[in-house]
């Protein structure tokens, strides 16, 4: 037995090593601690800068605009002439059109002569009716005619006056038609008579755009030049309507990735009361709302920003200075509640808990954990209640 004992112990040692080798080892996990500290809940969206007061100077009347010499970025003063309009030029006539226009002039002239002859005829009829009425009144006073004859004479006199007035109106209309026909014979391209119209800048600022730089015809209301103050910028952010209900005027905003070394501070001024539908990059219809914010950081920090620049806005909708919090990646759903795996004595233990506010990286713990507890930061399908774990 003394000779076989060492062999027996060696066999037991080999067997124990085999059993130990085939036992499941601890699952390597990434651990995180439950901590206390500041927590901010934000709504993050892309936005762009915009000149707050932008003035589009348009043509007050239709005409021919001279070339605008101002360039984008040039400074203008209030009341400075930024564009000059000439009266609209007449259209050209081909030989056939010119012949037709001359024929229309002759026709209008003949109609005008006929109208004036009609006026002369109605004047003669009116004088005759006046004479008949005077005779009828004299005979009625001497009781030689009846009242009916006097009424008929008075009616003819009134009808004559009405015919004369109508003939005069027709004669004036014929004169106007003649003037219109004669105006059609203006030489092609000849500018109409009249003074030029100077278009002035409503405010002092800089030129932001020149939609109509070259000389050419313009319609009334057509935009000629845009003026604004590039130092008075605001930020326009289109947020989802479900997030817009959490944003109010006065909400703090952090503007990041605008090109500077540190984020800029801003404050929400207006949340527009109407939303609109927008198609996302994935082709999904979204209801969005425009939110306008004013930059509160001193202008010398962001003086290189200009109109239409891209920024990333983070709206702080909730903030706490001393909040018990846990990484959001550690949470998962268990029915209708939230849960995570805590690490107790080297084993994973399922812990249901109640959470409050959530940000992208952390969540507020209301009940179920204490500060300093270790949790599994990213649990996977290998983690079960009671499984041995080890820090990765």
């Amino acid at each position: 037995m003394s000779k076989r004992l060492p062999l027996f112990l060696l066999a037991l040692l080999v067997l124990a090593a085999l059993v130990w080798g085939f036992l499941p080892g601890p699952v390597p996990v990434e651990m995180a601690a439950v901590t206390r500290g500041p927590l901010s809940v934000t709504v993050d969206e892309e936005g762009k800068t915009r000149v707050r007061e932008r003035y589009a100077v348009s043509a007050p009347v239709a005409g021919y605009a001279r070339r605008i010499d101002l360039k984008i970025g040039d400074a203008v003063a209030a009341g400075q002439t930024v564009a000059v309009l000439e009266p609209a030029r007449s259209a050209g006539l081909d030989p056939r059109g010119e012949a037709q226009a001359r024929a229309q002039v002759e026709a209008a002239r003949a109609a005008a002569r006929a109208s004036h002859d009609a006026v002369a005829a109605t004047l003669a009829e009116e004088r005759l009716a006046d004479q008949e009425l005077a005779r009828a009144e004299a005979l009625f006073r001497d009781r030689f005619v009846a009242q009916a004859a006097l009424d008929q004479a008075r009616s003819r006199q009134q009808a004559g006056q009405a015919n004369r007035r109508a003939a005069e109106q027709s004669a004036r209309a014929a004169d106007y038609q003649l003037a219109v026909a004669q105006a059609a014979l203006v030489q092609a391209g000849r500018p109409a008579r009249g003074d030029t119209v100077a278009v002035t800048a409503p405010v002092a600022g800089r030129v932001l755009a020149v939609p109509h730089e070259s000389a050419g015809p313009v319609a009334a209301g057509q935009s000629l030049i845009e003026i604004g103050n590039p130092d008075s910028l605001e930020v326009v952010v289109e947020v989802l309507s479900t997030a817009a209900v959490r944003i109010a005027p006065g909400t703090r905003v952090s503007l990041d990735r605008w090109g500077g070394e540190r984020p800029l501070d801003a404050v929400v001024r207006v949340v527009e009361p109407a939303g609109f539908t927008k198609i996302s990059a994935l082709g999904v219809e979204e209801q969005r709302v425009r939110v306008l914010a004013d930059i509160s950081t001193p202008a010398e920090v962001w003086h290189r920003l200009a109109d239409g620049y891209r920024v990333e806005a983070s709206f702080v909708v909730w903030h706490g200075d001393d909040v018990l919090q846990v990484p959001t990646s550690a949470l998962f759903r268990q029915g209708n509640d939230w849960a995570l795996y805590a690490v107790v004595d080297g084993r994973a233990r399922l812990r249901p808990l109640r959470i409050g506010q959530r940000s992208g990286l952390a969540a507020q713990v209301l009940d179920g954990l204490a500060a300093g507890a270790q949790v599994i930061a990213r649990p996977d399908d290998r983690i079960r209640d009671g499984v041995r774990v080890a820090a990765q």
Side-chain angles (χ1 to χ4, degrees):
M1 291 295 295
S2 60
K3 295 181 179 180
R4 295 180 179 179
L5 182 60
L7 296 176
F8 180 73
L9 293 177
L10 180 60
L12 286 178
L13 184 59
V14 172
L15 180 60
L18 291 175
V19 172
W20 178 263
F22 283 102
L23 286 177
V27 179
V29 295
E30 180 181 350
M31 295 185 185
V34 180
T35 60
R36 281 191 172 274
L39 177 64
S40 296
V41 180
T42 62
V43 175
D44 301 327
E45 289 287 352
E46 289 187 3
K48 63 180 180 180
T49 58
R50 184 177 69 180
V51 173
R52 183 180 302 174
E53 294 181 353
R54 192 184 192 102
Y55 295 86
V57 183
S58 57
V61 295
Y64 189 86
R66 296 178 182 175
R67 180 176 178 83
I68 299 176
D69 295 327
L70 293 172
K71 304 299 181 182
I72 296 177
D74 289 349
V76 295
Q80 176 182 341
T81 299
V82 295
V84 177
L85 299 181
E86 299 176 359
R89 302 184 178 187
S90 59
L93 294 176
D94 56 13
R96 178 181 178 182
E98 184 177 357
Q100 291 177 345
R102 293 187 182 280
Q104 290 174 355
V105 169
E106 295 301 327
R109 186 176 287 114
R113 287 196 296 265
S115 297
H116 287 289
D117 292 342
V119 170
T122 55
L123 284 173
E125 293 176 357
E126 183 181 7
R127 287 193 295 270
L128 179 60
D130 291 340
Q131 294 172 2
E132 290 180 352
L133 177 61
R135 286 194 297 269
E137 289 175 345
L139 293 174
F140 178 76
R141 286 193 297 269
D142 296 337
R143 299 182 182 277
F144 286 107
V145 295
Q147 180 67 38
L150 178 62
D151 293 340
Q152 290 178 357
R154 186 175 289 113
S155 177
R156 286 192 294 271
Q157 189 262 351
Q158 293 174 353
Q161 291 178 350
N163 292 334
R164 187 257 309 165
R165 290 193 295 269
E168 290 176 349
Q169 294 292 341
S170 298
R172 282 195 289 270
D175 292 338
Y176 294 147
Q177 292 294 332
L178 176 59
V180 172
Q182 289 174 339
L185 287 175
V186 176
Q187 185 178 357
R190 180 179 178 183
R193 294 182 180 179
D195 298 331
T196 59
V197 178
V199 183
T200 59
V203 294
R206 291 187 177 274
V207 177
L208 302 178
V210 186
H212 191 90
E213 181 178 4
S214 300
V218 294
Q222 183 175 342
S223 179
L224 300 176
I225 192 171
E226 294 182 8
I227 300 172
N229 182 8
D231 295 331
S232 62
L233 290 181
E234 64 182 2
V235 179
V236 183
V237 186
E238 298 175 355
V239 303
L240 292 172
S241 59
T242 53
V245 297
R246 306 177 63 188
I247 301 173
T251 300
R252 293 189 299 110
V253 189
S254 178
L255 305 177
D256 199 2
R257 296 187 180 181
W258 58 276
E261 297 179 355
R262 61 184 181 89
L264 303 178
D265 297 327
V267 179
V268 173
R269 186 178 81 252
V270 175
V271 179
E272 292 189 353
F276 59 94
T277 302
K278 184 176 182 179
I279 306 299
S280 69
L282 299 178
V284 180
E285 288 189 357
E286 298 175 339
Q287 290 301 119
R288 291 191 171 263
V289 178
R290 290 187 181 89
V291 179
L292 309 181
D294 295 329
I295 303 175
S296 56
T297 301
E300 55 268 16
V301 178
W302 50 269
H303 67 279
R304 292 187 178 276
L305 274 180
D307 183 56
Y309 282 36
R310 173 188 174 275
V311 296
E312 288 191 3
S314 296
F315 298 89
V316 182
V317 297
W318 185 88
H319 178 78
D321 292 324
D322 186 17
V323 179
L324 184 65
Q325 53 189 285
V326 68
T328 305
S329 60
L331 299 173
F332 57 88
R333 281 288 189 179
Q334 187 181 35
N336 294 328
D337 301 324
W338 290 97
L340 53 67
Y341 284 107
V343 180
V344 180
D345 298 331
R347 292 186 179 273
R349 298 300 180 185
L350 181 64
R351 291 285 188 271
L353 73 163
R354 188 163 58 94
I355 66 172
Q357 299 290 336
R358 287 184 298 159
S359 68
L361 299 178
Q364 180 187 20
V365 178
L366 300 178
D367 188 19
L369 283 176
Q374 295 291 320
V375 299
I376 299 176
R378 293 177 177 82
D380 54 27
D381 55 359
R382 298 175 298 171
I383 308 300
R384 296 288 186 271
D385 189 29
V387 172
R388 291 189 304 119
V389 294
Q392 188 173 3

